[in-house]
Structures are given as C-alpha cells and as structure tokens.
Amino acid sequence: MQLLKADFFKLSKSISPWVLFILAMVSAIIFAACSHYVATGRLGFETASGSLSLFSETQMMALLGSIAAGICLTTDFENKVIENAVSGGYSRNAIIINKMVSFFILIALLYLPYVIITMIFASTDTVFSNFIPTSTLNILSEAATQELTAGLFGNILITSSVSLLIFISQLMVGIFYMFLFKKAVLVIAATYMTSLILGPISSLNETVHSVMAYTPYGIDLSQLTLVMSGEFIIKSVIISFLFIFIFYLASFFLFRKAEVK
C-alpha cells in the first residue's frame, strides 16, 4: 500500500501523465468531430478512415499507453526507485503488483476522455458515423438514435468497460518489457511496435487469425456495441484476464531472477 501511495504522489507531481491526458482529450474531441462531419457529409469517408483514424482510441491507447509505460513507470529503474524499494524490504511480487495497478489506472485515465465524449453526446440528437469499427464510434452512432435512459447509460458503461479491459490487456506487455529492458525508450518502442504489429497480423490469414483470436489483439472490436452479445463479453473478459495473468507471471519470474543494479 505504501508503494502505491508513493507512486500516486509521484505521478500527481509529474507533468507527464497530465500531458498525456490532455493529448487523449484533444484526440477524443477531434475523433468525435470527424465522425460527425462524416455523418453530415462535410468530410470524406476515405480521409476520415485514413490519416484521421490516428485519433481513434485504438491508435491513441497504443501510442499514449506505450509512452505512459515508459515515461511514468520505467524511469523508476533509471532513477533507482525500484532498487531502493527492493533494498527497503519490499517483495518483488509487491513491486510488480504495484506497477500493474498504477499502469491500469494510467490507462483508464487516458481512456476517460473517450468515455466522457460518448456520455456527453449520448444525450443529444447529434449524428455520428462509425467509419471505423471502434467502441466510441459504435456507441456514438447508436446512442444518437435512442432516448437517454438508465438502460442506455448502463450499456455505455458496460461497452466502455469491456473496451478498456481489452486495451489494458493489450498493453500489459509494457509491464513485461519494463522488467526486461529497464529503459524507458526501449519499453516505449517495444510496447508500441507490439501493438502495431500484432493487430494487423491477426487478419493475415485464417490460420493466424484462429490463433490470434485467443489474444486481446484478435478480438473483433466491431462487436463492441451497445447490443453486443453476452457470449462476446464473457469471451473478451476471459481472454483479457488470462493475458494479463500470463504476463504478470512472466514479469514475476523475470524480475525474481534479475539483479537490480
């Protein structure tokens, strides 16, 4: 608990998490605006689904999440914070759990702007286009045709929560890379490249897809809608938690045998 309090204090005093949050907020606003302009015919579909798709939560979580793993967490190795924690008597398992919790909170903070955007516009008649299959655009386009009720609000929270869990599990490799490389720049590069490569690979062919379907990178994000099936929710949650647990174990065995210098 003391480790977690120390992390929260450090992050609250650091400018990096807040800069990343502002970038996520700006991206969410731009992404929602693009969706609205496509729906009203003021923006071409190809333009929006091309370069402007960079502002989607799928792309931004991979980019900003990778940066958060490096700048906000891995620098503790470079600043000897981890070394001091080990010499201070904290178990390596406690340190890993602490870093995981801190990382999950950071990812939730970065995803929050997209959730806020969906909540705001769910109560309006503004039209949106789901020009790419992401939970944010699916929610925006579907909610615009429905009356805001407690049920709709609950469905938005469920869809957003499942989406967040998938992103967290995808970025869990960043925790493993943190204990493997111990250098912020390497962790950022490796985490981001993993997200960039494994996502498209899942649709390479049927054989690869059948394997990747059991990882968070192979989950069909187009099914993250307000009417997604219970089967899809359960499958996504199980895959995500298993992936998180596997990389927790990998990080634990790696860190347990490593020397902290």
Side-chain angles (χ1 to χ4, degrees), residues 113-188:
Y114 290 91
V115 179
I116 293 174
I117 289 292
T118 58
M119 292 296 184
I120 291 174
F121 287 103
S123 59
T124 70
D125 295 327
T126 309
V127 293
F128 293 94
S129 167
N130 53 344
F131 58 88
I132 56 175
T134 74
S135 60
T136 297
L137 295 192
N138 289 339
I139 292 172
L140 287 173
S141 60
E142 293 173 8
T145 63
Q146 302 180 36
E147 182 181 349
L148 183 61
T149 62
L152 176 59
F153 183 81
N155 287 337
I156 292 175
L157 286 180
I158 292 173
T159 305
S160 299
S161 298
V162 174
S163 179
L164 173 60
L165 179 61
I166 293 172
F167 290 136
I168 286 175
S169 61
Q170 289 177 348
L171 290 165
M172 184 61 191
V173 294
I175 296 294
F176 174 74
Y177 289 144
M178 180 177 72
F179 292 101
L180 177 64
F181 298 124
K182 303 182 180 67
K183 296 290 184 182
V185 64
L186 294 179
V187 171
I188 293 172

Side-chain angles (χ1 to χ4, degrees), residues 53-108:
S53 65
L54 172 66
F55 298 103
S56 70
E57 72 270 34
T58 306
Q59 295 292 332
M60 294 310 295
M61 287 303 100
L63 176 59
L64 299 182
S66 301
I67 295 174
I71 294 179
C72 300
L73 298 180
T74 311
T75 49
D76 283 353
F77 275 104
E78 299 172 7
N79 297 332
K80 303 297 183 181
V81 174
I82 300 294
E83 180 185 47
N84 293 337
V86 173
S87 60
Y90 290 100
S91 70
R92 302 197 178 203
N93 184 58
I95 293 172
I96 293 174
I97 296 295
N98 172 73
K99 291 303 175 188
M100 285 175 59
V101 173
S102 298
F103 188 52
F104 295 167
I105 292 174
L106 280 171
I107 300 305

